[in-house]
Amino acid sequence: MSIEVRKLSKRFGDFTALDQVDLKVQDGELLALLGPSGCGKTTLLRLIAGLDLPDSGQVLFSGVDATSRHVSERQVGFVFQHYALFRHMTVFDNVAFGLSVKPRHQRPSKEEIRQRVTDLLKLVQLDWLAHAYPAQLSGGQRQRIALARSLAVEPKVLLLDEPFGALDAKVRKDLRRWLRALHDQIHLTSVFVTHDQEEALEVSDRVVVMNHGRVEQIGAPDEIYEHPASPFVTQFLGDVNLFHGRIEQEQLTIGPFAQVVEGYQDSERAVAYVRPHDLDVTREAQGALGHGRVDHIHAVGPLVRLELRQEDGAPIEVALAKERYRELGLAPGDLVYVTPRKISVFPDAEDYVI
Amino acid sequence: MSTLTTESQSVRIVLIGTAVLFLSLFLLLPLLVVFQQALSQGLALYFSALIDPDAWDAIKLTLLATSIALPLNLVFGVAAAWCIARFDFRGKSLLTTLIDLPFSVSPVVAGLMFVLLFGVNTPQGAWLDAHGMRVVFAVPGIVLASVFVTFPFVARELIPLMQSQGSDEEQAALVLGASGWQTFWRVTVPNIKWGLLYGVILTNARAMGEFGAVSVVSGHIRGETNTLPLHVEILYNEYNFVGAFACASLLALLALLTLLAKSLVEWRQTRQILQAKSLTLEVRLNATNRSSQPA
């Protein structure tokens, strides 16, 4: 089932959580809603589920207006951040709940329910926990049971609200991959909310980046990482270095650095963003984008992270391959120059405030 | 030997000793005196005081008032807790304050309130009287007074419980397709059952033992509008000490039974938690065994 959201708005008192948001989710895709706290992503998810009602706008399922449909009639599955398992019921009863509350004429027989629940528990590889209580499970197990419970009623759409937010890093990574594998298996239209950009980029088919109740950019993970549409998206998706410069007659100038930028308007306040791993370090000053003294060297892991200090005190972060680092033979205090392999330019950028 | 979190032996003895002394003086001793006085003239007199027709009427009236006040306040308490813990609406803080009103108002004032509201010289009192219904100095007044003073118990027990539990489970039930009633009976009630039980126990104890409000409203008509606490007062004023203390011993027994019920509830709750914990260990051990077995 596809989902469409048209001009959806929601306010809580004076605070605008969503501002005229338009979005289309294709049938069978795994979509991530990504953004910082307070950007409206959870509000959007809950409006799609029907757990909250919008102030204006529409929610459509496969082209049919479902805005006024009650949450219990929307056939959506919802996985909460803190699992919301029924604490006084066993795992089996939790997963069977959705089937057991169906109206009499739609309810499957006890045997059918038992079979379906067992199949689902096998799917999440927790069939041996059927008679345990939620309090006895670990976080990762609880989340998988919550997922099994939401799948029991065969929803047309699966909505997940920061499903791995309450888990520790290793479990989060494992479950992330497990979710992706599950999605590849069952092809259920799924939308999940996260503030972790690594998670969004790794798991989803498309990512929607949101900020202040609006959509900043929608696209496939590699597309938005390589071609961010705004300074916010650039800065949100990972570490980035900032350089101020000018654009004159389609030429970007930052100090001694110059690059042709086609199709850009003249601007006195242009900003260039360069990711740490897109910077090369040399000892030659020619055509350098910037320069600084080596402040810190973190040589742990596959990349060597360098922190350079410019004359005005501003830092430049560089991520070098280990071989290149050894080639250069750098030591703290050395004066080095950086040249970019790839830059994102935004004319007239405002400063991004945390 | 004292450490950072424990006191030395002597300090502990002094503190515990003071507490025990205080409790004995103000709680145990009076209770013992009640039973001692009641039985001072022998068992035969004790029992005859209890089966005296007026005493028996008083017991019946107490039970009647309680059996009406209890379900009424149970339903009200759950409804109020549901509203306050789950919704935001204008007047919510007013409702919360109103629920606490019976605690802050003196029971005598509460009784007087009903006399002033339904006395025969008020329009509504006159109307009721004309239709053959009396509220003040009659059973309905006593029931009303009992309901009023036990108003807050269930609500105050449930509100913080439901607030701390959050509404996630209920939302999950709704998304899974449960109706409002199904959600209430199958998700909410099992989660609040211990709070409910405790609230019921407290309501029961207070309804049976209420004196001040009921005293003002009842008119003290022996055999008709006397509850057990009121009957104790009447007997005492007639210098019938054995009778008074015999009835008082019933009330004291009630207090002890309430304590017992409360302890039982707490004990069951702790046992459930411990059972669940030991099952966890079992499940986890089985899991480890399973994962260390060859596939």
Side-chain angles (χ1 to χ4, degrees), chain A residues 116-288:
Chain A
R116 264 215 245 174
V117 171
T118 316
D119 289 342
L120 274 167
L121 288 177
K122 284 213 181 92
L123 182 68
V124 298
Q125 293 155 341
L126 291 174
D127 47 313
W128 51 282
L129 280 178
H131 298 291
Y133 282 87
Q136 303 162 7
L137 306 177
S138 71
Q141 288 167 339
R142 283 184 212 175
Q143 198 54 290
R144 283 188 278 163
I145 297 299
L147 194 62
R149 181 179 68 174
S150 63
L151 291 174
V153 290
E154 294 180 333
K156 301 270 171 41
V157 163
L158 188 61
L159 304 172
L160 305 107
D161 185 4
E162 305 218 30
F164 312 128
L167 303 168
D168 54 18
K170 175 80 172 53
V171 179
R172 213 184 299 167
K173 279 213 163 99
D174 289 340
L175 277 179
R176 207 188 282 174
R177 288 193 197 120
W178 178 84
L179 180 69
R180 180 73 228 186
L182 188 68
H183 180 260
D184 289 337
Q185 202 181 333
I186 60 179
H187 290 297
L188 188 59
T189 313
S190 309
V191 181
F192 79 98
V193 160
T194 180
H195 58 265
D196 180 352
Q197 91 273 10
E198 199 186 300
E199 188 171 291
L201 296 176
E202 188 183 315
V203 177
S204 57
D205 293 326
R206 278 197 306 158
V207 178
V208 176
V209 182
M210 293 180 66
N211 189 29
H212 293 315
R214 294 207 186 95
V215 173
E216 290 266 344
Q217 191 176 1
I218 309 177
D222 53 315
E223 188 191 310
I224 63 167
Y225 189 78
E226 296 294 330
H227 305 287
S230 70
F232 170 77
V233 178
T234 319
Q235 297 193 53
F236 191 76
L237 288 183
D239 291 331
V240 78
N241 294 296
L242 216 128
F243 298 96
H244 296 279
R246 281 199 332 265
I247 302 179
E248 243 168 52
Q249 296 182 327
E250 299 196 337
Q251 169 132 313
L252 169 71
T253 330
I254 301 175
F257 176 81
Q259 178 163 312
V260 173
V261 284
E262 284 183 31
Y264 281 83
Q265 305 255 338
D266 284 4
S267 165
E268 288 291 312
R269 286 176 359 217
V271 173
Y273 290 96
V274 191
R275 300 237 179 254
H277 57 82
D278 284 331
L279 278 175
D280 197 24
V281 173
T282 62
R283 295 195 191 268
E284 283 107 61
Q286 197 167 41

Side-chain angles (χ1 to χ4, degrees), chain B residues 138-216:
Chain B
V139 175
I142 292 174
V143 173
L144 273 176
S146 300
V147 170
F148 181 84
V149 295
T150 52
F151 218 47
F153 286 109
V154 175
R156 276 176 59 113
E157 197 60 39
L158 290 180
I159 290 172
L161 183 63
M162 291 178 74
Q163 278 175 334
S164 73
Q165 285 180 348
S167 61
D168 270 4
E169 284 188 39
E170 280 119 5
Q171 288 181 39
L174 284 176
V175 180
L176 288 166
S179 70
W181 278 117
Q182 284 173 316
T183 307
F184 179 71
W185 285 113
R186 298 185 55 173
V187 178
T188 313
V189 169
N191 277 345
I192 58 173
K193 70 175 178 217
W194 297 119
L196 260 181
L197 215 55
Y198 194 51
V200 163
I201 290 171
L202 288 178
T203 305
N204 189 56
R206 181 64 192 273
M208 287 193 179
E210 174 55 29
F211 180 81
V214 173
S215 173
V216 172

Side-chain angles (χ1 to χ4, degrees), chain A residues 46 51 70-72 76-78 80 82 84-89 94 97-98 100-102 128-129 132 135-138 149-150 153, chain B residues 165-166 168-179 182-183 186-188 190-191 193 275-277 279-280 283-284 286-287 290:
Chain A
R46 288 173 64 90
L51 288 169
H70 190 261
V71 55
S72 50
V76 298
F78 201 99
F80 293 80
H82 297 286
L85 292 176
F86 304 127
R87 72 194 84 189
H88 61 279
M89 290 187 210
N94 261 278
F97 184 81
S100 66
V101 294
K102 279 190 190 281
W128 51 282
L129 280 178
Q136 303 162 7
L137 306 177
S138 71
R149 181 179 68 174
S150 63
V153 290
Chain B
Q165 285 180 348
D168 270 4
E169 284 188 39
E170 280 119 5
Q171 288 181 39
L174 284 176
V175 180
L176 288 166
S179 70
Q182 284 173 316
T183 307
R186 298 185 55 173
V187 178
T188 313
N191 277 345
K193 70 175 178 217
Q275 265 181 352
K277 276 208 186 126
L279 269 170
T280 312
V283 166
R284 286 243 167 95
N286 282 341
R290 197 180 287 260

Side-chain angles (χ1 to χ4, degrees), chain B residues 194-269:
Chain B
W194 297 119
L196 260 181
L197 215 55
Y198 194 51
V200 163
I201 290 171
L202 288 178
T203 305
N204 189 56
R206 181 64 192 273
M208 287 193 179
E210 174 55 29
F211 180 81
V214 173
S215 173
V216 172
V217 155
S218 87
H220 298 250
I221 304 170
R222 205 190 293 240
E224 272 185 38
T225 60
N226 256 350
T227 60
L228 198 56
L230 264 55
H231 195 61
V232 170
E233 190 200 22
I234 286 183
L235 290 176
Y236 189 81
N237 286 339
E238 289 178 345
Y239 301 96
N240 181 357
F241 295 133
V242 171
F245 277 105
C247 292
S249 72
L250 267 184
L251 287 170
L253 269 174
L254 172 70
L256 291 172
L257 269 170
T258 305
L259 267 178
L260 202 70
K262 174 179 165 300
S263 304
L264 210 75
V265 166
E266 282 174 357
W267 178 77
R268 286 285 301 271
Q269 204 178 3

